[in-house]
Amino acid sequence: MSTTNKIAINLYNTKTRRKEPFTPIDEKDVRMYVCGPTVYDRAHIGNARPVIVFDVLNRLLRHVYGAEHVTYVRNFTDVDDKINARAAQSGRSISDITAETTGWFLEDMAAVGALQPSIRGKDHERAMPRATAYIGQMVAMIEDLIEKGHAYPAEGHVLFRVRSYSEYGALSGRSVDDMIAGARVEVAPFKEDPMDFVLWKPSDDATPGWDSPWGRGRPGWHIECSAMAHELLGESFDIHGGGNDLTFPHHENEIAQSKCAGHGFANVWLHNEMLQVEGKKMSKSLGNFFTVRDLLEQGVPGEVIRFVMLSTHYRKPMDWTEKKRAEAEKTLRKWQSLTDGAERRRRPHLDVLAAISDDLNTPKAISLLHAHANAIEGKEDAGRFLSTLQLLGIGAKWRDGVRLAVENAFDNVGLLDELIEKLKVARSEKNWEEADRLKNGITAAGVKLMISNDGIVREIENGFDASKLETLK
Ligand code: AMP
Ligand code: ZN
């Protein structure tokens, strides 16, 4: 297939420890999987880093191959012991917690300008799979691994036999014996080897569980990504991403599971480095822990958060500081006024595109943008500048003012949630007329609703008009 006209993309592959030219398996369907959040709490500022980094990559791929030729899948982990603990401690149901947290995540990530994952540019819902909707696929994959001798059942558990996969450790560059020495492996009497990890574990009556050949239980963490990536992206796909805290054990285990099941799995592995705050690891005890929502509520525009993130290369540790926040705000104000009234020109500046294509060199892209900003003379220049910013996901909301879109959305979330509660009640009472009235009204105000037996997930869309909610009260 001809690749003329296509700009060359180079990506640093954790697996080979080199920057490599990126060549998709199928240019008509470039496929990426990124590990998403465990949904039990607000996303902290560190969680936004992979979302923003891989959003830039998604935008780049869409620019180069066309939006309808890019598939980006990011999961929601909605079965996890942290979620169970949160439910037990708060007295709320698990499905309430996961539905609410999923909605929060989508809102907060929209506020920092992240496009929703999509299948060939469409079908956002399927592109953001919830683990609990894929238990059948996980069970089938575990059965297959047992049959092939890579896993074994023991006392209601199923364990992956790590020593059966000779390349285990290749991604993180460690041998199994080094890993045993360095890792906090759980020693359990039913394990053949301390390195073996859980694919399935038993659930008691108070814990969510599904029937399986090994009794009622639930999946271990790693199997969901292998099963969902296979179901949604096929035997092999192009890019797998996540934070570098996931390299070991999570990604190492994903590879072992998928390769032993006979899948090709991912060609290129990308990992972002961690975010710190004012030079220190973020932690609740140090008092420097905050969520994306905390910042938005303090009036920090989502685009400022995004800009600060992109000013450090994704493979370097990044430090969130008050100083950077203030500088970013100043720069964005200036750029906004420079592009006031400008129309987007289709062709972005090629040097900026080239910087992003060079392993997502966003700090270089930003320094080039400073130079372009200083050279703006007329509307033409301003329009081209605006369309260049779009590559980084900046400037989309400037027509309404940076702050406005976010504040407008958040001021009215209280009312929105009240109406959703009413909708839940109407549904539980089988009052379908009232349920339809609410559902249609909320949808017409620009909120997408995903209604299932587990609850209701809401997504505030760009054209959200809160005034339309008032009449529904
Ligand atoms: P979790 O919900 O903890 O599994 O994290 C979701 C995503 O956020 C994963 O891709 C993590 O690698 C990433 N992540 C968590 N903490 C940080 C941090 N401090 N800096 C950057 N990424 C992080
Ligand atoms: Zn994963």
Side-chain angles (χ1 to χ4, degrees):
M1 189 175 290
S2 150
T3 52
T4 45
N5 295 333
K6 297 255 186 280
I7 184 152
I9 297 177
N10 286 281
L11 297 173
Y12 182 90
N13 188 351
T14 308
K15 199 166 78 178
T16 57
R17 289 166 195 76
R18 288 191 277 119
K19 212 193 276 188
E20 297 170 347
F22 174 68
T23 318
I25 299 166
D26 176 3
E27 285 197 6
K28 297 272 179 254
D29 190 15
V30 183
R31 303 186 295 279
M32 167 160 84
Y33 185 96
V34 175
C35 297
T38 304
V39 278
Y40 66 102
D41 210 346
R42 282 264 176 212
H44 61 64
I45 182 76
N47 296 136
R49 191 173 192 198
V51 173
I52 293 170
V53 164
F54 291 103
D55 181 61
V56 171
L57 181 51
N58 184 34
R59 284 172 190 269
L60 174 67
L61 296 172
R62 288 160 66 102
H63 179 85
V64 173
Y65 298 99
E68 68 282 19
H69 300 303
V70 176
T71 291
Y72 169 24
V73 170
R74 184 186 63 215
N75 65 306
F76 282 113
T77 300
D78 63 347
V79 48
D80 185 277
D81 290 344
K82 287 187 288 257
I83 304 172
N84 303 342
R86 180 60 56 98
Q89 150 215 333
S90 66
R92 297 176 60 201
S93 77
I94 285 175
S95 57
D96 248 23
I97 292 174
T98 56
E100 178 181 65
T101 315
T102 300
W104 284 344
F105 182 84
L106 292 172
E107 263 167 44
D108 295 347
M109 297 310 132
V112 298
L115 299 175
Q116 289 192 348
S118 60
I119 311 256
R120 296 180 182 234
K122 297 191 294 248
D123 209 351
H124 303 295
E125 225 166 303
R126 195 166 146 79
M128 296 189 280
R130 291 170 302 130
T132 51
Y134 290 81
I135 302 288
Q137 286 87 340
M138 296 184 218
V139 168
M141 194 165 174
I142 296 170
E143 284 185 295
D144 184 44
L145 288 169
I146 295 176
E147 207 165 291
K148 290 178 169 145
H150 293 293
Y152 56 95
E155 295 182 24
H157 294 70
V158 180
L159 293 132
F160 186 90
R161 192 174 271 131
V162 166
R163 303 260 180 197
S164 76
Y165 178 54
S166 64
E167 286 174 58
Y168 192 82
L171 180 73
S172 41
R174 289 183 276 188
S175 73
V176 175
D177 294 312
D178 285 350
M179 281 185 271
I180 292 184
R184 282 172 289 167
V185 287
E186 196 192 337
V187 185
F190 50 82
K191 281 188 181 180
E192 285 177 6
D193 186 292
M195 277 309 279
D196 294 350
F197 60 87
V198 169
L199 299 173
W200 189 263
K201 56 189 172 185
S203 292
D204 60 24
D205 290 343
T207 316
W210 291 263
D211 289 331
S212 83
W214 319 286
R216 187 174 170 277
R218 61 195 190 281
W221 170 30
H222 317 294
I223 193 72
E224 70 174 79
C225 291
S226 287
M228 293 190 289
H230 183 246
E231 176 76 20
L232 296 168
L233 300 177
E235 293 286 313
S236 298
F237 55 95
D238 299 295
I239 300 170
H240 193 313
N244 71 350
D245 57 329
L246 300 182
T247 314
F248 177 81
H250 182 53
H251 289 163
E252 206 74 74
N253 293 354
E254 282 186 24
I255 293 175
Q257 294 161 163
S258 293
K259 292 280 189 187
C260 289
H263 309 160
F265 213 44
N267 284 345
V268 185
W269 285 82
L270 253 67
H271 291 97
N272 64 274
E273 254 287 355
M274 292 291 103
L275 173 143
Q276 300 191 319
V277 173
E278 306 283 352
K280 296 201 180 70
K281 187 175 165 165
M282 190 168 37
S283 87
K284 286 196 169 127
S285 61
L286 286 174
N288 66 350
F289 178 97
F290 50 89
T291 64
V292 172
R293 178 62 161 250
D294 290 336
L295 285 177
L296 295 169
E297 282 180 350
Q298 287 162 25
V300 180
E303 300 211 321
V304 168
I305 299 175
R306 187 177 180 94
F307 187 93
V308 173
M309 293 278 180
L310 296 181
S311 61
T312 300
H313 189 254
Y314 78 94
R315 281 194 289 116
K316 295 219 170 83
M318 97 151 262
D319 198 16
W320 177 278
T321 65
E322 175 50 29
K323 187 161 168 259
K324 283 187 192 167
R325 190 219 37 87
E327 274 168 14
E329 199 149 344
K330 216 168 91 193
T331 301
L332 288 175
R333 281 237 170 81
K334 178 179 155 202
W335 288 0
Q336 187 176 5
S337 69
L338 282 172
T339 54
D340 213 15
E343 290 296 326
R344 228 168 256 140
R345 292 274 163 259
R346 275 187 42 228
R347 269 164 25 96
H349 286 291
L350 285 180
D351 54 353
V352 176
L353 180 59
I356 300 169
S357 304
D358 180 17
D359 195 33
L360 308 182
N361 194 342
T362 53
K364 182 168 177 198
I366 289 174
S367 78
L368 292 166
L369 281 164
H370 278 293
H372 288 301
N374 291 334
I376 291 178
E377 279 183 352
K379 286 266 180 280
E380 280 286 318
D381 291 349
R384 188 138 185 234
F385 185 74
L386 201 55
S387 71
T388 310
L389 285 180
Q390 237 199 327
L391 285 174
L392 289 175
I394 293 171
K397 296 176 189 152
W398 283 1
R399 233 168 270 276
D400 322 319
V402 177
R403 214 165 278 225
L404 215 86
V406 174
E407 278 180 1
N408 182 30
F410 285 157
D411 278 354
N412 296 287
V413 163
L415 173 57
L416 174 59
D417 284 343
E418 260 172 50
L419 293 169
I420 289 175
E421 274 313 307
K422 272 195 177 173
L423 171 57
K424 279 189 198 163
V425 172
R427 281 174 53 82
S428 69
E429 290 170 351
K430 302 204 187 318
N431 182 351
W432 303 121
E433 203 177 313
E434 171 70 352
D436 278 347
R437 182 186 76 88
L438 289 163
K439 192 180 87 186
N440 296 337
I442 295 170
T443 309
V447 180
K448 195 166 151 205
L449 293 175
M450 287 172 264
I451 302 177
S452 72
N453 291 336
D454 291 344
I456 299 177
V457 174
R458 61 166 159 75
E459 236 171 74
I460 296 180
E461 301 190 305
N462 267 344
F464 176 55
D465 179 359
S467 64
K468 291 192 179 152
L469 294 176
E470 298 288 333
T471 57
L472 292 172
K473 272 198 255 185

